[in-house]
Amino acid sequence: MRSNSNNAAYGADAGGAIGAGVSDISQLSINTIRTLSMDGVEKANSGHPGTAMALAPAMYALWQHELNYDPANPLWPGRDRFVLSVGHASMLLYSTLYLTGVKDIEHDKVVDRPSLTIDDLKQFRQLNSKTPGHPEYRFTAGVETTTGPLGQGCGNSVGMAIAEKWLAARYNKPGYDLFDYYTYVFCGDGDMMEGVASEAASTAGHLGLGNLIWLYDSNQISIEGSTDLAFTENVAKRFEGYNWHVQTINDVNDVAAVRKALDAARAVKDKPSMIVMHTVIGYGAPKKAGTASAHGEPLGEAEIEGAKKAYHWPSAEPFYVPEGVKEHFQEGLGKRGAAASAAWKKKFEAYAKEYPAEASQLTDIFEHRLPAGWDKDIPTWDADPKGVASRASSGRVINAVAKNLPWMIGGSADLSPSTKTNLTFEGAGSFQPPQWNGSYAGRNLHFGVREHAMGSICNGIALSGVRAYGSGFLIFSDYMKAPIRLSAIMEVPVIYIFTHDSIGVGEDGPTHQPIEQLAQLRATPGIMTIRPGDANEVSEAWRTIIPLTEKPAVLILSRQNLPTLDRTKYAPASGLAKGAYVLASCEGTPDVILMASGSEVSLVVDAYEKLTAEGVKARVVSFPSFDLFEEQDQAYKDSVLPPEVKGRVAVEQAAAFGWDRYTGLGGSIIAMNTFGASAPLKDLLTKFGFTPEKVYEAAKAQAARK
């Protein structure tokens, strides 16, 4: 049940030492959030106390009175989502999770112990504590997403709102509104300055996401001082231009005003909402309130003492929690959330009897399981010297997979005709509001030219249980570095599809020819990067990445055709699952090993055939994934790359960085050491040495090594 919209209800909690529209116990609860946050930062001698102090009334208003959330079941699928995009104010969230009694999660199951204890708050920012400097998903129960780089939480929230709309359109039935939750976001001036938040907000406005509410902490302070130094725009007007519903609260201490604004925001069904909240950073601190020094450093004992005096705080003891505060939260959020989650569970049980197929799919989504037969239509490919671009073969495979994986959705940054990621089977449709000729049940997302937002939105979708993919040109992975990295930190299985993977883009020139991007992706922990060498390796790549439930995957694909190898002559493409495999080899120990990924595999195969015809003992290793190969045991690695074989050649149209791990210091690496050039592909291959002759010459020289 949503909060009472009668204005009189908001004035019932009158009074309080500081703040308007709150009772004594409400004010005590607000100030408990403030003091725990201050004390946590002070004990750590590190952190950001001021924003937590300022936002405590809004946090209280939202969690205690408005949030549809059960602390005893933080995995309840119908819950509202809360995102602290201002992740530096993490003590605000940690204090609230402690006071509201949110239960812990272990192996994706709720367990009967608190997510956080008072001792956890005392270990803020310490090694192995559950209260790291910025909130981390999977690390602290109740944290819905990892928010560190500003703006990312804003982007995640748009993905969460998209997921709710999609789940509702696909699975809600008459009398069964299983999905009707909201995503609430606390964001700040820093978020508003970051481009990713702007991209995401523009997307949300276009899509008419009325289930998304951002509460903007406009304290006008950043690390360097007043935001007037660099940020003087009218944010409210900007968001009106994005097609958002915008309200302003002049004093966030007025809890009644916050609740009224939230009610008004929820009443707008066809637009996302922003509530601009004017706050005073470090509220209550005698000298530091409203200053930059309250932002990113401990207040100090004197300021804490002064703030607690201003709050009429009953104890000088750090981490003091007054009697009745935790009970107050249980009487409000606790009881309301328990009743709501129990009602949802009962509704789902009835739904499962009436709609068993849909309920089975939802259970698979909730429990991160794949449907039976998801891979049954993945194609195999006949040998073909002309071949097919791996972006095109991937386009066929993604359609074969997605039609049997009903909760897989995604799209591109305005590039689906090039990335071949459009889902074309019957019923796929486009995720759009009706006025843009689509529906929220559509499975094709159109991100526009917004790569950064695409990555953060995909993270938000994946955090909601729906399988998400985003696509673009490999060169533009640079614009997505932050969300890709956060996918890995959070261990969410987003699939990133990058095409135009090499100097094979030819005439587009060095601005569009990726060089260092592969090395960057390979260097990022927790990501599965795969660059398949032909169509059958593409099929195996998809077969490998879809079962990943706790790791993002990056698929690197070509624009140009790649010959489809004859697998009756060469090893089966199933070897891709181990990252690198012997594609062809001589009898016994080779004198030289030729290694390559992607489009260069066929190049080293040509050199291998010539060497073999001359009696040179050679081996070809297809090397689609460093990450997968490094997961193998040493015996397998040695069977592919025998340590006694010194003659080695690696070929890849990208930076050489990383290949010396496999070639050794004396090995040969044919790679890129410039940013490319604008010319037809054949001319580029000659200029940069990606020819059978160059590979052959390098191999002959390496074969002579002893």
Side-chain angles (χ1 to χ4, degrees):
M1 193 74 169
R2 294 294 176 190
S3 60
N4 192 338
S5 60
N6 187 314
N7 287 349
Y10 294 101
D13 292 337
I18 293 179
V22 291
S23 66
D24 288 343
I25 187 62
S26 297
Q27 189 65 63
L28 195 63
S29 300
I30 291 167
N31 289 338
T32 304
I33 295 172
R34 285 170 163 150
T35 55
L36 287 175
S37 299
M38 292 188 300
D39 290 340
V41 172
E42 194 68 23
K43 186 174 188 299
N45 195 30
S46 174
H48 301 73
T51 300
M53 296 160 69
L55 287 178
M59 193 72 166
Y60 172 84
L62 177 61
W63 280 69
Q64 176 70 341
H65 295 294
E66 308 294 336
L67 202 67
N68 205 28
Y69 186 90
D70 182 7
N73 187 8
L75 293 178
W76 163 37
R79 71 190 182 280
D80 287 340
R81 270 58 168 181
F82 173 76
V83 175
L84 186 72
S85 194
V86 283
H88 54 273
S90 55
M91 274 302 300
L92 173 70
L93 180 55
Y94 298 148
S95 299
T96 304
L97 295 177
Y98 164 70
L99 292 172
T100 57
V102 173
K103 294 290 187 182
D104 207 358
I105 298 169
E106 188 174 290
H107 304 303
D108 293 325
K109 301 291 183 184
V110 179
V111 294
D112 190 21
R113 64 170 180 258
S115 169
L116 295 175
T117 66
I118 199 72
D119 286 335
D120 291 319
L121 301 188
K122 293 177 181 178
Q123 291 300 304
F124 179 54
R125 290 188 167 222
Q126 303 309 299
L127 183 65
N128 297 325
S129 79
K130 296 175 70 177
T131 48
H134 293 79
E136 294 187 35
Y137 174 72
R138 293 189 188 273
F139 205 76
T140 311
V143 173
E144 300 280 7
T145 181
T146 298
T147 51
L150 289 170
Q152 290 298 321
C154 292
N156 296 162
S157 73
V158 175
M160 293 174 180
I162 286 172
E164 187 278 333
K165 286 286 190 185
W166 188 85
L167 289 165
R170 283 276 169 168
Y171 294 106
N172 283 2
K173 302 293 182 183
Y176 295 102
D177 290 334
L178 295 176
F179 302 101
D180 63 351
Y181 59 81
Y182 285 82
T183 298
Y184 297 93
V185 182
F186 276 13
C187 51
D189 292 310
D191 292 297
M192 294 303 103
M193 293 186 231
E194 287 285 2
V196 63
S198 301
E199 291 181 25
S202 176
T203 304
H206 164 78
L207 293 173
L209 300 178
N211 56 349
L212 179 63
I213 300 172
W214 289 5
L215 295 96
Y216 163 36
D217 172 27
S218 180
N219 63 43
Q220 297 179 291
I221 293 293
S222 62
I223 290 175
E224 291 187 355
S226 168
T227 54
D228 288 347
L229 288 167
F231 187 60
T232 52
E233 69 185 46
N234 188 323
V235 173
K237 291 293 185 184
R238 170 155 65 97
F239 273 70
E240 288 174 1
Y242 287 151
N243 196 38
W244 283 54
H245 173 251
V246 180
Q247 304 172 77
T248 299
I249 297 173
N250 289 320
D251 181 7
V252 78
N253 293 295
D254 187 345
V255 169
V258 175
R259 296 186 62 196
K260 282 184 183 180
L262 289 168
D263 255 3
R266 288 190 294 263
V268 178
K269 304 299 183 184
D270 61 347
K271 294 181 179 183
S273 287
M274 167 173 274
I275 300 171
V276 181
M277 305 182 302
H278 291 295
T279 69
V280 177
I281 195 168
Y283 184 81
K287 295 181 180 179
K288 293 189 175 183
T291 70
S293 61
H295 174 73
E297 60 188 43
L299 292 175
E301 290 183 10
E303 286 293 294
I304 287 180
E305 182 181 348
K308 289 181 177 179
K309 183 177 180 181
Y311 302 153
H312 301 284
W313 196 240
S315 174
E317 178 189 351
F319 299 97
Y320 175 74
V321 178
E323 184 177 347
V325 169
K326 295 186 72 174
E327 293 78 6
H328 177 61
F329 279 110
Q330 283 304 309
E331 284 296 311
L333 173 67
K335 282 189 176 181
R336 186 179 72 253
S341 66
W344 191 94
K345 181 181 179 183
K346 184 177 180 180
K347 183 184 291 186
F348 184 74
E349 289 170 351
Y351 176 93
K353 294 176 181 177
E354 194 166 347
Y355 303 100
E358 289 84 349
S360 177
Q361 287 187 9
L362 286 172
T363 301
D364 284 345
I365 292 172
F366 303 153
E367 297 184 2
H368 312 296
R369 291 197 301 258
L370 292 171
W374 68 269
D375 58 348
K376 64 182 180 181
D377 295 321
I378 292 179
T380 56
W381 307 78
D382 294 334
D384 182 358
K386 181 181 178 182
V388 61
S390 54
R391 62 170 176 166
S393 54
S394 177
R396 266 192 60 186
V397 179
I398 195 173
N399 272 275
V401 169
K403 71 179 182 180
N404 296 317
L405 181 50
W407 51 93
M408 181 175 175
I409 68 175
S412 76
D414 195 47
L415 288 170
S416 61
S418 290
T419 60
K420 310 300 182 186
T421 48
N422 201 48
L423 301 181
T424 57
F425 51 83
E426 185 178 355
S430 286
F431 183 93
Q432 295 279 2
Q435 65 266 34
W436 302 122
N437 303 313
S439 82
Y440 290 130
R443 296 177 62 183
N444 286 296
L445 301 178
H446 302 281
F447 294 102
V449 188
R450 303 184 184 101
E451 291 89 355
H452 199 169
M454 176 172 67
S456 60
I457 289 170
C458 284
N459 281 341
I461 294 171
L463 287 162
S464 306
V466 179
R467 200 62 187 270
Y469 67 87
S471 66
F473 293 169
L474 178 57
I475 193 69
F476 300 131
S477 65
D478 286 351
Y479 284 179
M480 301 172 64
K481 172 59 177 170
I484 293 173
R485 185 173 188 270
L486 288 167
S487 297
I489 290 174
M490 290 190 285
E491 300 177 341
V492 292
V494 175
I495 299 170
Y496 298 97
I497 303 165
F498 292 124
T499 67
H500 296 57
D501 67 343
S502 67
I503 60 172
V505 301
E507 293 88 346
D508 277 339
T511 61
H512 282 55
Q513 292 169 6
I515 304 300
E516 72 278 18
Q517 285 70 29
L518 258 174
Q520 175 176 279
L521 290 165
R522 287 167 174 162
T524 304
I527 291 177
M528 187 67 68
T529 301
I530 305 177
R531 186 176 183 235
D534 74 348
N536 284 303
E537 284 196 1
V538 168
S539 290
E540 292 304 320
W542 278 102
R543 201 183 302 277
T544 299
I545 64 181
I546 289 294
L548 298 175
T549 60
E550 296 185 358
K551 181 176 288 189
V554 179
L555 198 55
I556 309 295
L557 305 170
S558 73
R559 176 197 186 192
Q560 71 274 26
N561 285 358
L562 309 183
T564 305
L565 298 173
D566 182 353
R567 296 293 172 166
T568 65
K569 180 179 180 181
Y570 301 108
S574 57
L576 174 139
K578 292 189 174 181
Y581 64 102
V582 178
L583 185 63
S585 189
C586 62
E587 292 290 333
T589 302
D591 292 323
V592 63
I593 299 173
L594 304 172
M595 297 172 267
S597 74
S599 54
E600 292 75 73
V601 171
S602 59
L603 181 60
V604 298
V605 166
D606 289 346
Y608 162 82
E609 295 293 356
K610 185 175 181 180
L611 291 164
T612 300
E614 294 179 357
V616 177
K617 297 176 70 176
R619 169 177 292 187
V620 173
V621 172
S622 179
F623 220 127
S625 177
F626 287 13
D627 304 299
L628 280 167
F629 188 64
E630 289 303 317
E631 290 181 356
Q632 309 310 311
D633 61 30
Q634 193 61 47
Y636 177 78
K637 293 179 187 178
D638 289 347
S639 73
V640 175
L641 303 175
E644 66 271 21
V645 179
K646 305 303 181 185
R648 301 185 182 194
V649 179
V651 185
E652 191 170 67
Q653 292 178 32
F657 190 87
W659 275 105
D660 56 349
R661 183 191 319 179
Y662 305 114
T663 62
L665 294 178
S668 176
I669 304 173
I670 300 173
M672 293 295 296
N673 55 19
T674 77
F675 285 114
S678 178
L681 176 57
K682 288 184 179 179
D683 295 339
L684 292 173
L685 296 179
T686 300
K687 174 179 174 60
F688 294 111
F690 296 101
T691 63
E693 295 76 20
K694 288 289 186 181
V695 176
Y696 169 78
E697 291 169 6
K700 286 282 283 186
Q702 286 291 315
R705 290 183 64 204
K706 299 298 180 186

